[in-house]
Amino acid sequence: AQKITQTQPGMFVQEKEAVTLDCTYDTSDPSYGLFWYKQPSSGEMIFLIYQGSYDQQNATEGRYSLNFQKARKSANLVISASQLGDSAMYFCAMREPDRDSSYKLIFGSGTRLLVRP
Amino acid sequence: NAGVTQTPKFQVLKTGQSMTLQCAQDMNHEYMSWYRQDPGMGLRLIHYSVGAGITDQGEVPNGYNVSRSTTEDFPLRLLSAAPSQTSVYFCASSAGLAGTGANVLTFGAGSRLTVL
């Protein structure tokens, strides 16, 4: 079963506008973490933001914020004031424990964002 | 500070050949892992290690071997390459277990492998 779902394969946004990238997750464990990574055309994976399942407030990092709705199991990434350099692939990922209580990251299939000038 | 270094960046193999993707980190991270990235499927965990001498399988381990003789190095071996192993491979490390608390994975630049 898909544990991380990103339903938007591709999105456009006008420069300087805000954009929301959707992510829903599925886990029965009460302790989990949610991550967003950016992958520009150069290929590297860049960490953007983290939200723990017990965190009371939505995470923010500069122009990035995470709209965490625990009951709906969603962790949407909001990018404010989009810039041309934000054009990239964005991945949502979830940490969950496995049988040995080790933790692994499960990635979604990604959303490709294109910022228009 | 080099972070996570992967070599080679590009490799072309013929079916049945073997090769090793190298991964080294200089951050004294205990946790290291290998992912593969295929179009439309995100990243999938191949193998991981929680410390020197300890390795375990991830989601897609078949066809790959790993070892962890030192904290710094975590090579990924393909014993008999198949076209289905054509992919981009990422090595990643973190100070704690992947994502424990706010520990984040630091990724290498990736290795693009083509198997003909």
Side-chain angles (χ1 to χ4, degrees):
Chain A
Q2 188 79 357
K3 295 194 173 183
I4 291 284
T5 303
Q6 295 181 254
T7 57
Q8 306 152 313
M11 288 191 69
F12 292 96
V13 65
Q14 204 67 31
E15 192 179 8
K16 299 180 185 178
E17 291 185 350
V19 63
T20 298
L21 306 183
D22 294 341
C23 174
T24 58
Y25 60 91
D26 182 26
T27 181
S28 57
D29 197 280
S31 177
Y32 54 90
L34 297 157
F35 300 78
W36 279 91
Y37 280 85
K38 173 184 178 181
Q39 186 179 43
S41 57
S42 52
E44 71 267 34
M45 295 289 288
I46 302 168
F47 165 73
L48 295 178
I49 197 166
Y50 164 81
Q51 178 85 41
S53 59
Y54 295 120
D55 293 343
Q56 295 297 313
Q57 294 188 330
N58 287 345
T60 61
E61 291 286 348
R63 293 187 299 111
Y64 304 108
S65 61
L66 203 152
N67 184 1
F68 182 45
Q69 299 187 45
K70 197 170 183 176
R72 301 178 69 174
K73 294 189 175 180
S74 73
N76 299 339
L77 177 70
V78 180
I79 305 175
S80 62
S82 296
Q83 301 172 355
L84 296 179
D86 293 333
S87 294
M89 194 77 162
Y90 289 82
F91 291 98
C92 179
M94 177 176 67
R95 160 182 60 82
E96 63 167 14
D98 71 359
R99 66 189 189 281
D100 298 321
S101 297
S102 300
Y103 293 94
K104 298 179 287 190
L105 285 191
I106 309 296
F107 283 83
S109 56
T111 295
R112 185 169 297 282
L113 177 67
L114 182 61
V115 180
R116 290 170 165 157
Chain B
N1 196 352
V4 179
T5 303
Q6 289 182 234
T7 56
K9 288 191 176 351
F10 302 95
Q11 183 72 48
V12 179
L13 290 177
K14 294 181 180 178
T15 298
Q17 286 185 318
S18 63
M19 77 156 299
T20 299
L21 297 175
Q22 301 291 345
C23 176
Q25 53 89 11
D26 61 359
M27 299 172 284
N28 202 32
H29 283 175
E30 287 296 322
Y31 181 92
M32 297 186 74
S33 53
W34 278 101
Y35 287 83
R36 61 177 288 174
Q37 183 180 18
D38 301 296
M41 299 188 73
L43 280 75
R44 291 181 294 168
L45 182 64
I46 304 172
H47 285 285
Y48 65 99
S49 169
V50 299
I54 306 169
T55 64
D56 206 347
Q57 296 181 350
E59 182 184 357
V60 287
N62 292 342
Y64 307 95
N65 279 354
V66 292
S67 59
R68 184 94 179 271
S69 56
T70 67
T71 299
E72 295 77 20
D73 300 301
F74 190 46
L76 178 71
R77 280 181 283 275
L78 285 72
L79 299 179
S80 179
S84 61
Q85 294 178 302
T86 293
S87 188
V88 179
Y89 292 85
F90 287 95
C91 180
S93 72
S94 70
L97 295 175
T100 301
N103 283 334
V104 299
L105 284 181
T106 299
F107 283 84
S111 298
R112 184 175 294 274
L113 175 66
T114 301
V115 183
L116 304 175

Short mmCIF file of all heavy atoms in Angstrom, two decimals, chain A residues 33 35 37 39 42-45 47 50 89 91 95 98-110, chain B residues 31 35 37 40-43 45 48 50 56-58 90 97-105 107-109:
data_model
loop_
_atom_site.label_atom_id
_atom_site.label_comp_id
_atom_site.label_asym_id
_atom_site.label_seq_id
_atom_site.Cartn_x
_atom_site.Cartn_y
_atom_site.Cartn_z
N GLY A 33 7.84 11.06 11.51
CA GLY A 33 8.34 12.35 11.08
C GLY A 33 8.08 12.54 9.61
O GLY A 33 8.06 11.57 8.85
N PHE A 35 9.12 14.83 6.11
CA PHE A 35 10.20 15.62 5.53
C PHE A 35 9.82 16.06 4.12
O PHE A 35 9.08 15.36 3.42
CB PHE A 35 11.49 14.78 5.40
CG PHE A 35 12.01 14.25 6.71
CD1 PHE A 35 11.43 13.15 7.31
CD2 PHE A 35 13.11 14.83 7.31
CE1 PHE A 35 11.92 12.64 8.52
CE2 PHE A 35 13.61 14.34 8.51
CZ PHE A 35 13.02 13.24 9.10
N TYR A 37 11.98 17.28 0.63
CA TYR A 37 13.26 17.46 -0.03
C TYR A 37 13.02 18.08 -1.40
O TYR A 37 12.02 17.82 -2.05
CB TYR A 37 13.98 16.12 -0.23
CG TYR A 37 14.70 15.61 0.99
CD1 TYR A 37 14.01 14.87 1.96
CD2 TYR A 37 16.05 15.86 1.20
CE1 TYR A 37 14.66 14.40 3.09
CE2 TYR A 37 16.71 15.39 2.33
CZ TYR A 37 16.00 14.66 3.26
OH TYR A 37 16.65 14.20 4.38
N GLN A 39 14.74 18.54 -5.24
CA GLN A 39 15.74 18.01 -6.17
C GLN A 39 15.77 18.87 -7.42
O GLN A 39 14.93 18.73 -8.31
CB GLN A 39 15.43 16.55 -6.53
CG GLN A 39 16.54 15.91 -7.38
CD GLN A 39 16.26 14.47 -7.72
OE1 GLN A 39 15.14 14.09 -8.06
NE2 GLN A 39 17.28 13.62 -7.62
N SER A 42 20.01 19.63 -11.31
CA SER A 42 21.37 19.12 -11.12
C SER A 42 21.38 17.77 -10.41
O SER A 42 22.40 17.07 -10.42
CB SER A 42 22.20 20.13 -10.32
OG SER A 42 21.52 20.49 -9.13
N GLY A 43 20.27 17.40 -9.78
CA GLY A 43 20.13 16.05 -9.25
C GLY A 43 20.33 15.85 -7.77
O GLY A 43 19.94 14.81 -7.25
N GLU A 44 20.92 16.81 -7.07
CA GLU A 44 21.15 16.56 -5.64
C GLU A 44 19.85 16.67 -4.86
O GLU A 44 18.90 17.29 -5.30
CB GLU A 44 22.19 17.54 -5.08
CG GLU A 44 21.73 18.97 -4.93
CD GLU A 44 22.06 19.82 -6.14
OE1 GLU A 44 22.04 19.28 -7.27
OE2 GLU A 44 22.31 21.03 -5.94
N MET A 45 19.82 16.05 -3.70
CA MET A 45 18.66 16.08 -2.82
C MET A 45 18.95 17.07 -1.70
O MET A 45 19.91 16.92 -0.95
CB MET A 45 18.41 14.69 -2.22
CG MET A 45 18.02 13.64 -3.25
SD MET A 45 16.37 13.88 -3.91
CE MET A 45 15.38 13.41 -2.50
N PHE A 47 17.49 18.97 1.70
CA PHE A 47 16.50 18.96 2.77
C PHE A 47 15.89 20.35 2.92
O PHE A 47 16.61 21.36 2.94
CB PHE A 47 17.15 18.53 4.08
CG PHE A 47 16.32 18.81 5.29
CD1 PHE A 47 15.19 18.06 5.56
CD2 PHE A 47 16.66 19.84 6.15
CE1 PHE A 47 14.41 18.33 6.67
CE2 PHE A 47 15.90 20.11 7.28
CZ PHE A 47 14.77 19.35 7.54
N TYR A 50 11.16 19.83 8.21
CA TYR A 50 10.80 18.64 8.97
C TYR A 50 9.65 18.94 9.93
O TYR A 50 9.59 20.03 10.52
CB TYR A 50 12.01 18.16 9.79
CG TYR A 50 11.68 17.18 10.88
CD1 TYR A 50 11.51 15.82 10.59
CD2 TYR A 50 11.52 17.59 12.21
CE1 TYR A 50 11.20 14.92 11.59
CE2 TYR A 50 11.19 16.69 13.20
CZ TYR A 50 11.04 15.35 12.89
OH TYR A 50 10.73 14.45 13.87
N MET A 89 12.06 19.32 -8.61
CA MET A 89 11.22 18.22 -8.16
C MET A 89 11.19 18.28 -6.64
O MET A 89 12.23 18.52 -6.01
CB MET A 89 11.83 16.89 -8.63
CG MET A 89 10.92 15.72 -8.53
SD MET A 89 9.71 15.75 -9.87
CE MET A 89 9.17 14.04 -9.81
N PHE A 91 10.00 16.23 -3.12
CA PHE A 91 9.61 14.94 -2.57
C PHE A 91 9.18 15.08 -1.11
O PHE A 91 9.87 15.72 -0.30
CB PHE A 91 10.78 13.94 -2.63
CG PHE A 91 11.13 13.50 -4.01
CD1 PHE A 91 12.18 14.08 -4.69
CD2 PHE A 91 10.41 12.48 -4.63
CE1 PHE A 91 12.52 13.67 -5.98
CE2 PHE A 91 10.74 12.06 -5.91
CZ PHE A 91 11.79 12.66 -6.59
N ARG A 95 9.22 9.18 7.97
CA ARG A 95 10.00 8.25 8.78
C ARG A 95 9.02 7.39 9.54
O ARG A 95 8.10 7.88 10.18
CB ARG A 95 10.88 8.99 9.77
CG ARG A 95 11.34 8.15 10.96
CD ARG A 95 12.17 8.93 11.93
NE ARG A 95 11.48 10.06 12.52
CZ ARG A 95 10.64 10.01 13.55
NH1 ARG A 95 10.37 8.85 14.09
NH2 ARG A 95 10.09 11.10 14.03
N ASP A 98 10.61 0.26 11.53
CA ASP A 98 10.40 -1.07 10.98
C ASP A 98 10.48 -2.08 12.11
O ASP A 98 10.49 -1.73 13.28
CB ASP A 98 11.38 -1.37 9.86
CG ASP A 98 12.81 -1.58 10.37
OD1 ASP A 98 13.04 -1.48 11.59
OD2 ASP A 98 13.68 -1.86 9.55
N ARG A 99 10.59 -3.33 11.78
CA ARG A 99 10.48 -4.39 12.78
C ARG A 99 11.58 -4.33 13.82
O ARG A 99 11.43 -4.80 14.92
CB ARG A 99 10.49 -5.76 12.09
CG ARG A 99 11.82 -6.07 11.41
CD ARG A 99 11.73 -7.33 10.57
NE ARG A 99 13.04 -7.75 10.08
CZ ARG A 99 13.64 -7.19 9.03
NH1 ARG A 99 13.07 -6.21 8.41
NH2 ARG A 99 14.83 -7.63 8.64
N ASP A 100 12.73 -3.78 13.48
CA ASP A 100 13.85 -3.71 14.41
C ASP A 100 13.92 -2.37 15.12
O ASP A 100 14.93 -2.05 15.72
CB ASP A 100 15.17 -3.94 13.66
CG ASP A 100 15.22 -5.31 13.03
OD1 ASP A 100 14.75 -6.25 13.67
OD2 ASP A 100 15.72 -5.42 11.90
N SER A 101 12.85 -1.60 15.05
CA SER A 101 12.83 -0.26 15.64
C SER A 101 13.87 0.65 15.02
O SER A 101 14.27 1.63 15.62
CB SER A 101 13.01 -0.32 17.16
OG SER A 101 11.93 -1.00 17.75
N SER A 102 14.36 0.28 13.87
CA SER A 102 15.17 1.22 13.11
C SER A 102 14.23 2.08 12.28
O SER A 102 13.09 1.71 12.06
CB SER A 102 16.14 0.49 12.18
OG SER A 102 17.00 -0.33 12.91
N TYR A 103 14.71 3.16 11.83
CA TYR A 103 13.83 4.09 11.13
C TYR A 103 14.28 4.24 9.68
O TYR A 103 15.45 4.37 9.40
CB TYR A 103 13.81 5.44 11.83
CG TYR A 103 13.17 5.36 13.20
CD1 TYR A 103 13.93 5.18 14.33
CD2 TYR A 103 11.80 5.46 13.33
CE1 TYR A 103 13.34 5.08 15.57
CE2 TYR A 103 11.20 5.38 14.56
CZ TYR A 103 11.96 5.20 15.68
OH TYR A 103 11.37 5.11 16.89
N LYS A 104 13.34 4.22 8.80
CA LYS A 104 13.61 4.39 7.38
C LYS A 104 12.74 5.51 6.85
O LYS A 104 11.72 5.83 7.41
CB LYS A 104 13.30 3.09 6.64
CG LYS A 104 14.12 1.91 7.07
CD LYS A 104 13.75 0.67 6.30
CE LYS A 104 12.43 0.11 6.72
NZ LYS A 104 12.19 -1.24 6.15
N LEU A 105 13.20 6.08 5.76
CA LEU A 105 12.40 7.09 5.08
C LEU A 105 11.68 6.46 3.90
O LEU A 105 12.29 5.75 3.10
CB LEU A 105 13.27 8.24 4.60
CG LEU A 105 13.78 9.24 5.64
CD1 LEU A 105 14.38 10.45 4.94
CD2 LEU A 105 12.68 9.67 6.58
N ILE A 106 10.38 6.73 3.82
CA ILE A 106 9.56 6.31 2.70
C ILE A 106 9.25 7.57 1.89
O ILE A 106 8.73 8.55 2.43
CB ILE A 106 8.24 5.67 3.16
CG1 ILE A 106 8.51 4.57 4.20
CG2 ILE A 106 7.48 5.12 1.97
CD1 ILE A 106 9.29 3.40 3.70
N PHE A 107 9.55 7.52 0.59
CA PHE A 107 9.38 8.70 -0.25
C PHE A 107 8.13 8.59 -1.11
O PHE A 107 7.73 7.51 -1.54
CB PHE A 107 10.60 8.86 -1.18
CG PHE A 107 11.80 9.43 -0.49
CD1 PHE A 107 12.65 8.61 0.23
CD2 PHE A 107 12.10 10.78 -0.58
CE1 PHE A 107 13.77 9.13 0.87
CE2 PHE A 107 13.22 11.31 0.05
CZ PHE A 107 14.04 10.48 0.78
N GLY A 108 7.54 9.75 -1.37
CA GLY A 108 6.50 9.83 -2.38
C GLY A 108 7.11 9.90 -3.77
O GLY A 108 8.33 9.93 -3.93
N SER A 109 6.24 9.94 -4.78
CA SER A 109 6.71 9.91 -6.16
C SER A 109 7.14 11.27 -6.69
O SER A 109 7.70 11.38 -7.76
CB SER A 109 5.63 9.33 -7.08
OG SER A 109 4.44 10.08 -6.94
N GLY A 110 6.87 12.32 -5.91
CA GLY A 110 7.38 13.64 -6.26
C GLY A 110 6.40 14.51 -7.04
O GLY A 110 5.47 14.02 -7.69
N TYR B 31 24.51 6.30 10.79
CA TYR B 31 23.52 5.71 9.89
C TYR B 31 23.88 6.02 8.44
O TYR B 31 24.12 7.18 8.10
CB TYR B 31 22.14 6.27 10.20
CG TYR B 31 21.03 5.71 9.35
CD1 TYR B 31 20.31 4.59 9.74
CD2 TYR B 31 20.70 6.32 8.14
CE1 TYR B 31 19.29 4.09 8.96
CE2 TYR B 31 19.69 5.81 7.35
CZ TYR B 31 18.99 4.70 7.77
OH TYR B 31 17.99 4.20 6.98
N TYR B 35 19.72 4.41 -1.68
CA TYR B 35 18.43 4.49 -2.33
C TYR B 35 18.64 4.42 -3.84
O TYR B 35 19.68 4.81 -4.36
CB TYR B 35 17.74 5.81 -2.02
CG TYR B 35 17.19 5.94 -0.61
CD1 TYR B 35 18.02 6.33 0.43
CD2 TYR B 35 15.86 5.68 -0.34
CE1 TYR B 35 17.53 6.45 1.72
CE2 TYR B 35 15.35 5.80 0.95
CZ TYR B 35 16.20 6.19 1.97
OH TYR B 35 15.70 6.31 3.24
N GLN B 37 16.59 5.75 -7.42
CA GLN B 37 15.53 6.63 -7.90
C GLN B 37 15.18 6.28 -9.33
O GLN B 37 16.03 6.34 -10.21
CB GLN B 37 15.96 8.10 -7.83
CG GLN B 37 14.85 9.06 -8.27
CD GLN B 37 15.27 10.51 -8.20
OE1 GLN B 37 16.44 10.84 -8.14
NE2 GLN B 37 14.29 11.40 -8.19
N GLY B 40 9.04 8.45 -11.77
CA GLY B 40 7.67 8.23 -11.31
C GLY B 40 7.54 7.42 -10.04
O GLY B 40 6.43 7.14 -9.60
N MET B 41 8.68 7.02 -9.44
CA MET B 41 8.58 6.15 -8.26
C MET B 41 9.28 6.73 -7.04
O MET B 41 9.37 6.08 -6.02
CB MET B 41 9.18 4.78 -8.59
CG MET B 41 8.46 4.08 -9.71
SD MET B 41 9.02 2.40 -9.92
CE MET B 41 8.28 1.62 -8.50
N GLY B 42 9.79 7.91 -7.13
CA GLY B 42 10.47 8.46 -5.96
C GLY B 42 11.73 7.68 -5.64
O GLY B 42 12.31 7.00 -6.50
N LEU B 43 12.16 7.72 -4.40
CA LEU B 43 13.35 7.01 -3.96
C LEU B 43 12.93 5.79 -3.15
O LEU B 43 12.04 5.87 -2.31
CB LEU B 43 14.24 7.91 -3.08
CG LEU B 43 15.13 8.90 -3.80
CD1 LEU B 43 14.34 10.08 -4.33
CD2 LEU B 43 16.24 9.39 -2.87
N LEU B 45 14.43 2.52 -0.74
CA LEU B 45 15.56 2.11 0.08
C LEU B 45 16.05 0.72 -0.34
O LEU B 45 15.26 -0.23 -0.41
CB LEU B 45 15.15 2.11 1.55
CG LEU B 45 16.23 1.75 2.57
CD1 LEU B 45 17.35 2.78 2.56
CD2 LEU B 45 15.61 1.65 3.97
N TYR B 48 20.57 -0.51 4.30
CA TYR B 48 21.00 0.51 5.22
C TYR B 48 21.88 -0.10 6.31
O TYR B 48 21.94 -1.33 6.48
CB TYR B 48 19.82 1.27 5.83
CG TYR B 48 18.91 0.44 6.71
CD1 TYR B 48 19.03 0.47 8.10
CD2 TYR B 48 17.91 -0.36 6.15
CE1 TYR B 48 18.18 -0.28 8.90
CE2 TYR B 48 17.06 -1.11 6.95
CZ TYR B 48 17.20 -1.06 8.32
OH TYR B 48 16.37 -1.81 9.11
N VAL B 50 23.22 0.75 10.48
CA VAL B 50 23.09 1.60 11.67
C VAL B 50 24.42 1.73 12.40
O VAL B 50 24.47 2.32 13.49
CB VAL B 50 21.99 1.10 12.61
CG1 VAL B 50 20.64 1.11 11.90
CG2 VAL B 50 22.30 -0.29 13.13
N ASP B 56 21.36 -4.02 7.00
CA ASP B 56 20.04 -4.64 6.89
C ASP B 56 19.42 -4.26 5.56
O ASP B 56 19.85 -3.31 4.89
CB ASP B 56 19.14 -4.18 8.03
CG ASP B 56 18.05 -5.20 8.35
OD1 ASP B 56 17.84 -6.14 7.53
OD2 ASP B 56 17.40 -5.08 9.40
N GLN B 57 18.41 -5.03 5.18
CA GLN B 57 17.77 -4.84 3.89
C GLN B 57 16.69 -3.78 3.96
O GLN B 57 16.01 -3.63 4.97
CB GLN B 57 17.15 -6.16 3.42
CG GLN B 57 18.15 -7.25 3.17
CD GLN B 57 17.49 -8.54 2.70
OE1 GLN B 57 16.27 -8.67 2.71
NE2 GLN B 57 18.29 -9.48 2.25
N GLY B 58 16.55 -3.08 2.85
CA GLY B 58 15.47 -2.13 2.72
C GLY B 58 14.34 -2.70 1.89
O GLY B 58 14.07 -3.89 1.90
N PHE B 90 21.52 6.86 -4.87
CA PHE B 90 21.91 7.86 -3.89
C PHE B 90 22.36 7.17 -2.61
O PHE B 90 21.68 6.29 -2.08
CB PHE B 90 20.75 8.80 -3.55
CG PHE B 90 20.43 9.79 -4.63
CD1 PHE B 90 19.43 9.52 -5.56
CD2 PHE B 90 21.12 10.99 -4.71
CE1 PHE B 90 19.13 10.44 -6.55
CE2 PHE B 90 20.83 11.91 -5.70
CZ PHE B 90 19.83 11.63 -6.61
N LEU B 97 19.53 7.54 13.67
CA LEU B 97 18.72 6.73 12.78
C LEU B 97 17.89 7.64 11.90
O LEU B 97 17.34 8.62 12.37
CB LEU B 97 17.83 5.79 13.58
CG LEU B 97 18.59 4.74 14.40
CD1 LEU B 97 17.64 3.94 15.26
CD2 LEU B 97 19.39 3.85 13.49
N ALA B 98 17.79 7.29 10.63
CA ALA B 98 17.23 8.17 9.60
C ALA B 98 16.00 8.91 10.08
O ALA B 98 14.93 8.35 10.15
CB ALA B 98 16.86 7.35 8.38
N GLY B 99 16.15 10.17 10.39
CA GLY B 99 15.00 10.96 10.76
C GLY B 99 14.58 10.82 12.19
O GLY B 99 13.51 11.27 12.56
N THR B 100 15.41 10.20 13.05
CA THR B 100 15.06 10.20 14.47
C THR B 100 15.06 11.63 14.98
O THR B 100 16.02 12.36 14.77
CB THR B 100 16.11 9.38 15.26
OG1 THR B 100 16.13 8.06 14.75
CG2 THR B 100 15.76 9.34 16.73
N GLY B 101 14.00 11.99 15.63
CA GLY B 101 13.89 13.38 16.04
C GLY B 101 13.94 14.25 14.80
O GLY B 101 13.19 14.03 13.87
N ALA B 102 14.80 15.17 14.74
CA ALA B 102 14.92 16.04 13.58
C ALA B 102 16.16 15.70 12.77
O ALA B 102 16.53 16.45 11.88
CB ALA B 102 14.97 17.50 14.00
N ASN B 103 16.80 14.53 13.06
CA ASN B 103 17.96 14.16 12.25
C ASN B 103 17.54 14.02 10.80
O ASN B 103 16.55 13.36 10.50
CB ASN B 103 18.55 12.82 12.72
CG ASN B 103 19.36 12.97 13.98
OD1 ASN B 103 19.89 14.04 14.25
ND2 ASN B 103 19.47 11.91 14.74
N VAL B 104 18.27 14.62 9.92
CA VAL B 104 17.92 14.54 8.51
C VAL B 104 18.98 13.77 7.76
O VAL B 104 20.12 13.68 8.19
CB VAL B 104 17.75 15.94 7.90
CG1 VAL B 104 16.64 16.69 8.59
CG2 VAL B 104 19.04 16.73 7.96
N LEU B 105 18.58 13.20 6.66
CA LEU B 105 19.51 12.52 5.78
C LEU B 105 20.26 13.53 4.94
O LEU B 105 19.66 14.44 4.36
CB LEU B 105 18.77 11.56 4.85
CG LEU B 105 18.27 10.25 5.42
CD1 LEU B 105 17.60 9.43 4.34
CD2 LEU B 105 19.40 9.45 6.05
N PHE B 107 22.40 13.67 1.59
CA PHE B 107 22.56 12.83 0.41
C PHE B 107 23.84 13.15 -0.33
O PHE B 107 24.31 14.30 -0.36
CB PHE B 107 21.38 13.04 -0.55
CG PHE B 107 20.12 12.35 -0.12
CD1 PHE B 107 19.26 12.95 0.79
CD2 PHE B 107 19.79 11.11 -0.64
CE1 PHE B 107 18.09 12.32 1.18
CE2 PHE B 107 18.62 10.47 -0.25
CZ PHE B 107 17.77 11.07 0.66
N GLY B 108 24.39 12.12 -0.98
CA GLY B 108 25.43 12.32 -1.96
C GLY B 108 24.84 12.86 -3.25
O GLY B 108 23.63 13.01 -3.38
N ALA B 109 25.72 13.15 -4.21
CA ALA B 109 25.28 13.78 -5.46
C ALA B 109 24.61 12.81 -6.42
O ALA B 109 24.03 13.22 -7.42
CB ALA B 109 26.47 14.44 -6.15
#
